[in-house]
Amino acid sequence: MTRLRTLQHTSVIVIGGGINGIATFRDLAMQGVDVVLVERGDFGSGATAASSHMIHGGLRYLENGEMRLVRESVHERNGLLHTAPHFVKPLRTTIPIYSTLSSMIASPMKILRHRSGERHVERGAVMIKVGLSLYDTFSRANGTVPRHRFMGRKESLAALPALDPNIKYTATYYDASVHSPERLALDVLMDGVREHSGAIAVNYVEAVGLDESSVRLRDVETGQEFSIGAEVIVNASGPWTDLTNEALGTHTSFMGGTKGSHIVLDHPELLEATGGREIFFEHSDGRIVLIYPLHGRVLVGTTDVRADPREPAVCTDEEVDYFFDLIRHVFPTIELDRSDIVFTYSGIRPLPRHDDIKPGLVSRDYRIEVDQDRAGSPVLSLVGGKWTTFRALGETLADRVLELLDRPRMWSTDGVVIGGGRGYPKRASRRAAWVASNLPGVDPDRGATLLERYGTRATEVAAFLAEGPDSPLVDGALSTREVARMARWESVVHVTDVVLRRTNLAFVGGLRPEHFTEIAAALGQELGWGEDRVRAEAQACADTLHEFHSIAATGAVRGYGTA
């Protein structure tokens, strides 16, 4: 932060530390461009953290005729399986099918008609077969994933016995999932910082104004303001793009985000029922639904509801009822209870303004709006975008910036391995051997956790842990020196940064009040907090998890400097 405050000028300022702003930051850093990224919260804490954890080619987009987006999405998905194997994994996906011929007329017409009043028509086996065959032609370009497969009722129920017996067929194909999206985003960010000495990224700093060619910034933690000049300004603040432009002095109406919520269940029977695959289908209301295993839990999503970016997004009781209804639709014999929910989350998609088009049919493609009419530096606003295409989007946005700077592109990010993906053992059978070989002296279980959390950067983490006294936290899932390293090298500022974005501790459930205090104490040792600040941070984390993630409050957090 000190370096940022003393910086008077840079070539580019990127506003927004979600995955698309981060991708643009890394791309520019690779070109040797001096670039500053500012994020008003924690890195990856907005729409980036609220995804369905999917890296997918966009099967749905075929029906809307978005061939360019499908082609790009498949290319990027296949690329991420190679460049980020530590976080992006192949995902077998199964569609339950209840009819043979439904939707043969209605589906093609959706390319021409997307209005909100249209009646939903369920897709039958023939239409799904056509779509998957076409999808295969995109997906199989480099043999990354297998072709799709159809099965009849008998064979389908043999593979998935808990599935609704009223199905006629299932179709299975492959996409991919991102197991820790926030950590993948952080890896991309750290690659950018390491790439170029003129690349600076800071969290908890917001853009609050624009004076011709200088962006006025505010330190969220202290309230102090300062300005930095830039030749180009990039607004990559996702669903808050219009609000950021308003703060910069320009009125825009680019965005029309929708809220998507998810729940995470600790339910062994449902976990077994998935058969280790994603169950992907269209519910009776036309919304796309997914149920799949992740981190030993079951992730269920998602909704698609118009939302105001000024208001915090929270998963509601009505959405939970909706999720339970759709689970029972697919797995009718499995009993559910709200006590099975260990975590919920909700976010706003950065969709373009879409008026009366149904939210589920709004394009997930992106565009760049350039404001060069105002005096001073041009402002580029990113509209749209999705997780899967972050690299291609970042490259496209960086190209526009390079054009304005009159600088050539020196390198492409296509095919560049990300962070801890370098040398990562893709086969599960080889990971124990990697831990034994590369993390000598580390307990095998602890080493497996570090490899899962950091990829091959686990060697850097293990070396840091070995440099001083280290004590286990959160029943061994974390340690005091690991928390200290997060504060020193990963820009952790609050306890919530640790449990929500540097680890999956909140996602899998089981956190107790004493865990928040343990983490706060370890963080306080590194950041110089007193007892009052430690207690306040622990309580703030408990309050945040209760208010926004449905983790039950258990009273005031105690245990540090108290009786």
Side-chain angles (χ1 to χ4, degrees):
M1 183 66 74
T2 302
R3 183 184 174 194
L4 185 67
R5 286 179 178 169
T6 58
L7 188 68
Q8 295 183 340
H9 187 273
T10 188
S11 296
V12 182
I13 292 180
V14 177
I15 303 169
I19 186 56
N20 291 318
I22 286 172
T24 306
F25 170 82
R26 179 187 70 149
D27 197 299
L28 290 169
M30 286 185 64
Q31 315 313 316
V33 174
D34 290 346
V35 55
V36 168
L37 180 145
V38 295
E39 163 57 45
R40 66 175 182 172
D42 189 20
F43 300 124
S45 61
T48 295
S51 76
S52 296
H53 290 61
M54 294 293 297
I55 299 292
H56 63 99
L59 177 61
R60 292 181 63 197
Y61 312 145
L62 285 175
E63 189 175 61
N64 295 344
E66 296 185 275
M67 302 304 176
R68 190 212 70 80
L69 182 57
V70 174
R71 187 177 294 106
E72 180 177 84
S73 298
V74 167
H75 175 80
E76 295 302 315
R77 179 204 65 191
N78 291 349
L80 284 166
L81 287 167
H82 294 293
T83 62
H86 53 322
F87 294 134
V88 179
K89 317 285 185 180
L91 181 64
R92 183 168 53 165
T93 302
T94 293
I95 306 172
I97 305 170
Y98 288 85
S99 64
T100 303
L101 299 175
S102 293
S103 188
M104 288 189 67
I105 295 176
S107 291
M109 290 303 291
K110 282 195 175 183
I111 297 175
L112 302 176
R113 298 181 302 165
H114 291 170
R115 300 305 169 191
S116 59
E118 290 182 0
R119 182 176 61 89
H120 167 64
V121 180
E122 181 184 352
R123 288 150 187 77
V126 173
M127 280 305 303
I128 292 173
K129 178 70 175 178
V130 170
L132 286 174
S133 296
L134 182 56
Y135 197 53
D136 281 343
T137 65
F138 287 100
S139 296
R140 294 277 298 170
N142 60 3
T144 301
V145 297
R147 292 185 180 276
H148 79 275
R149 183 185 176 203
F150 257 73
M151 294 192 298
R153 177 190 289 117
K154 183 177 180 180
E155 193 176 3
S156 297
L157 294 177
L160 298 168
L163 206 59
D164 182 4
N166 293 315
I167 62 164
K168 287 191 174 182
Y169 317 91
T170 60
T172 297
Y173 67 102
Y174 281 80
D175 257 326
S177 62
V178 54
H179 286 205
S180 299
E182 300 90 344
R183 286 217 65 93
L184 176 54
L186 190 65
D187 252 8
V188 177
L189 182 77
M190 290 191 296
D191 282 353
V193 171
R194 294 182 182 194
E195 189 68 34
H196 178 48
S197 61
I200 304 171
V202 291
N203 52 355
Y204 295 102
V205 172
E206 63 178 329
V208 295
L210 177 60
D211 305 313
E212 291 192 358
S213 297
S214 293
V215 178
R216 193 162 65 255
L217 303 172
R218 178 185 296 138
D219 184 328
V220 173
E221 297 301 301
T222 66
Q224 294 180 347
E225 294 189 6
F226 53 99
S227 296
I228 297 177
E231 297 168 55
V232 178
I233 299 151
V234 176
N235 178 359
S237 49
W240 300 279
T241 294
D242 291 329
L243 299 183
T244 297
N245 281 336
E246 183 178 311
L248 299 181
T250 301
H251 173 76
T252 59
S253 300
F254 298 141
M255 308 306 296
T258 63
K259 186 183 79 164
S261 296
H262 299 75
I263 60 174
V264 180
L265 299 106
D266 184 0
H267 196 300
E269 185 183 3
L270 180 60
L271 182 66
E272 183 180 1
T274 66
R277 68 186 77 188
E278 176 191 35
I279 308 300
F280 180 83
F281 62 100
E282 200 172 38
H283 200 36
S284 57
D285 59 4
R287 293 177 184 172
I288 294 297
V289 172
L290 55 91
I291 304 170
Y292 76 97
L294 190 64
H295 300 306
R297 305 293 183 260
V298 181
L299 176 64
V300 183
T302 176
T303 51
D304 211 348
V305 183
R306 294 180 187 272
D308 183 349
R310 293 177 176 82
E311 300 296 327
V314 178
C315 182
T316 65
D317 288 340
E318 291 76 16
E319 287 174 306
V320 171
D321 290 339
Y322 172 78
F323 290 136
F324 276 22
D325 180 55
L326 65 87
I327 295 171
R328 294 186 184 103
H329 174 72
V330 179
F331 298 113
T333 62
I334 292 181
E335 295 185 3
L336 303 165
D337 189 86
R338 272 177 156 72
S339 63
D340 298 321
I341 299 173
V342 295
F343 188 68
T344 70
Y345 64 96
S346 188
I348 301 178
R349 301 175 181 89
L351 300 182
R353 182 177 176 179
H354 49 272
D355 298 325
D356 63 341
I357 296 175
K358 290 178 66 175
L361 295 174
V362 178
S363 174
R364 266 55 174 176
D365 211 340
Y366 54 88
R367 72 178 194 269
I368 301 163
E369 297 282 349
V370 183
D371 181 6
Q372 290 181 285
D373 296 333
R374 56 178 299 282
S377 300
V379 177
L380 281 65
S381 295
L382 173 63
V383 181
K386 67 194 195 86
W387 239 107
T388 303
T389 57
F390 73 82
R391 188 214 61 83
L393 185 156
E395 187 168 80
T396 301
L397 190 45
D399 280 341
R400 295 296 297 274
V401 173
L402 291 171
E403 180 182 332
L404 290 168
L405 294 175
D406 194 24
R407 295 183 58 161
R409 169 169 289 279
M410 299 175 64
W411 313 98
S412 172
T413 52
D414 198 7
V416 175
V417 179
I418 297 169
R422 298 177 180 91
Y424 182 80
K426 294 182 181 180
R427 294 185 181 179
S429 60
R430 296 180 178 175
R431 288 170 201 157
W434 187 94
V435 169
S437 176
N438 292 274
L439 304 178
V442 178
D443 175 80
D445 290 339
R446 176 67 168 143
T449 297
L450 294 179
L451 179 61
E452 179 184 7
R453 187 171 292 158
Y454 300 97
T456 55
R457 277 182 169 157
T459 56
E460 301 174 18
V461 179
F464 181 87
L465 301 186
E467 291 174 356
D470 194 22
S471 301
L473 301 173
V474 195
D475 303 323
L478 201 58
S479 73
T480 53
R481 280 192 65 80
E482 188 179 359
V483 170
R485 185 184 181 278
M486 288 174 177
R488 195 175 302 181
W489 299 109
E490 295 186 351
S491 303
V492 161
V493 175
H494 298 291
V495 176
T496 50
D497 301 337
V498 175
V499 302
L500 287 171
R501 289 172 290 278
R502 303 306 184 276
T503 70
N504 61 15
L505 293 174
F507 185 96
V508 299
L511 285 172
R512 302 188 299 274
E514 59 265 32
H515 294 151
F516 307 140
T517 302
E518 290 174 3
I519 296 170
L523 203 52
Q525 286 289 322
E526 180 67 22
L527 298 178
W529 295 345
E531 291 185 3
D532 289 345
R533 177 67 185 272
V534 168
R535 280 194 294 270
E537 282 285 337
Q539 189 64 55
C541 181
D543 293 344
T544 295
L545 293 181
H546 173 60
E547 182 176 358
F548 296 106
H549 302 287
S550 304
I551 294 179
T554 54
V557 173
R558 298 176 61 84
Y560 186 86
T562 59

